[in-house]
Amino acid sequence: MNKKLAAALSGGAVLILTLSGCSDDSSKKVDDWAKTFCNSAQPQFKKITDANAAIQAQTRDDSKPADVQKTDSNAFQQISDAYKALGSAVDQAGAPPVKDGATTQQEAVKELNASSVAYANLKKKVDALNAGDQAAFAKGLEDIATELGKISSTGDASLKKLEAGDVGKAMQKQPGCQKQTPSAAASGAGAQADNSGSPSASASPSGSASPSGSASPSASESPKS
């Protein structure tokens, strides 16, 4: 029932940062900026990873609609809060020491805040679904997965811009911006929900500092009833 949503989320929780450009200063200044941001951002990346894992844990065919609804709602709220906090982290880190750094900083904050709003809206839509009508609930989840896929497309394009710049390279070296592992609670829930073990690796952040994945909603997959 929740598989399309989980697939879309694993490819959709992408940081919308466009901090690319040519460095005007020494690499040390770029590294210092990346360290400042990544240290503040690490807890937020962890929240997004845990939210991904929680949704992955509710992909069993026998998952109850009420349980799926509660899990998805909480996960979307968690991701929304994380993106808002990431916007604040970019704001507090200051303009990155690259060409047009102030502009790219402002755009990054704006886009991160927009992502926060987008996930908050998805939470509202999940909350509004009728968990008592399983067929209608499954259709509602499918529609939400489609919308989530659109968020994914935008994020993937911005991620490429980030990885092309000096700031992106500096961020990749920072532990705080590297791949996060789901917490014991989140991964434990996944193990209980699926005998195959922990959630899919695609639900975890990539080594490029973003909770990105390559998965996308399957057009051929139908909602489970």
Side-chain angles (χ1 to χ4, degrees):
M1 178 186 297
N2 212 30
K3 291 180 180 179
K4 272 195 173 183
L5 188 61
L9 182 61
S10 67
V14 179
L15 284 186
I16 309 178
L17 288 171
T18 54
L19 300 172
S20 59
C22 299
S23 176
D24 291 330
D25 295 282
S26 67
S27 59
K28 183 179 185 306
K29 289 187 177 182
V30 177
D31 288 341
D32 287 345
W33 187 95
K35 182 178 181 179
T36 298
F37 168 73
C38 293
N39 285 347
S40 297
Q42 185 175 24
Q44 310 312 322
F45 292 139
K46 189 68 164 57
K47 288 179 182 178
I48 294 174
T49 300
D50 286 349
N52 287 352
I55 288 182
Q56 289 283 346
Q58 287 289 355
T59 58
R60 296 177 305 168
D61 291 345
D62 62 345
S63 292
K64 296 180 180 179
D67 293 337
V68 172
Q69 184 176 42
K70 181 179 179 181
T71 296
D72 292 355
S73 177
N74 290 339
F76 284 142
Q77 183 63 61
Q78 189 168 320
I79 294 173
S80 175
D81 292 343
Y83 272 110
K84 185 175 181 179
L86 286 168
S88 296
V90 174
D91 189 35
Q92 293 173 6
V98 295
K99 184 178 180 181
D100 297 326
T103 299
T104 55
Q105 178 199 19
Q106 293 169 5
E107 291 177 348
V109 172
K110 180 179 179 180
E111 291 175 343
L112 286 166
N113 287 336
S115 291
S116 175
V117 172
Y119 280 100
N121 288 336
L122 290 180
K123 169 184 163 52
K124 292 179 181 178
K125 292 184 177 182
V126 168
D127 291 342
L129 296 178
N130 181 6
D133 185 335
Q134 191 162 355
F137 183 74
K139 177 60 170 62
L141 283 184
E142 184 176 6
D143 292 341
I144 290 173
T146 298
E147 186 172 344
L148 191 55
K150 295 178 181 178
I151 298 175
S152 171
S153 297
T154 302
D156 286 342
S158 298
L159 179 61
K160 291 179 181 178
K161 294 181 182 179
L162 169 63
E163 293 178 334
D166 291 339
V167 172
K169 295 176 182 178
M171 289 170 65
Q172 290 178 30
K173 296 186 292 185
Q174 296 298 324
C177 280
Q178 292 175 3
K179 182 177 180 179
Q180 302 295 307
T181 302
S183 66
S187 60
Q192 293 175 4
D194 188 338
N195 292 332
S196 63
S198 60
S200 168
S202 64
S204 302
S206 70
S208 59
S210 303
S212 172
S214 59
S216 60
S218 171
S220 61
E221 181 184 352
S222 58
K224 301 295 182 181
S225 59

